[in-house]
Amino acid sequence: MRILFITEPLPYPIISGPAIRIYNLLERIARENEVWLATLLMSPGEQQYIPELEKFCAGVVTGQRE
């Protein structure tokens, strides 16, 4: 099954309650499904965390929050 998961904020690094919950949910769903993540970046520096999410997501699409 293909799943598009839309979230704000980026679920990585996993240092807060919402990020921990979203990260774990994504990782578990991706074990048996093709998961695509669409998320907003709060700052340009968050771009460095995308490769961690691409380890189990089929793709990660980002936008910049204004």
Side-chain angles (χ1 to χ4, degrees):
M1 178 182 291
R2 290 184 185 150
I3 299 171
L4 173 61
F5 200 103
I6 303 170
T7 184
E8 177 196 16
L10 182 71
Y12 199 86
I14 46 176
I15 56 173
S16 67
I20 293 168
R21 184 179 193 298
I22 294 167
Y23 180 89
N24 287 320
L25 184 58
L26 276 171
E27 193 273 330
R28 287 187 180 118
I29 292 171
R31 290 179 190 171
E32 298 182 14
N33 300 283
E34 180 181 321
V35 177
W36 289 76
L37 174 64
T39 187
L40 293 176
L41 300 179
M42 304 306 263
S43 69
E46 289 184 326
Q47 192 72 32
Q48 68 180 331
Y49 302 125
I50 301 302
E52 181 63 33
L53 297 166
E54 289 175 329
K55 289 180 181 177
F56 54 86
C57 290
V60 178
V61 178
T62 63
Q64 187 67 41
R65 186 170 190 191
E66 295 180 14

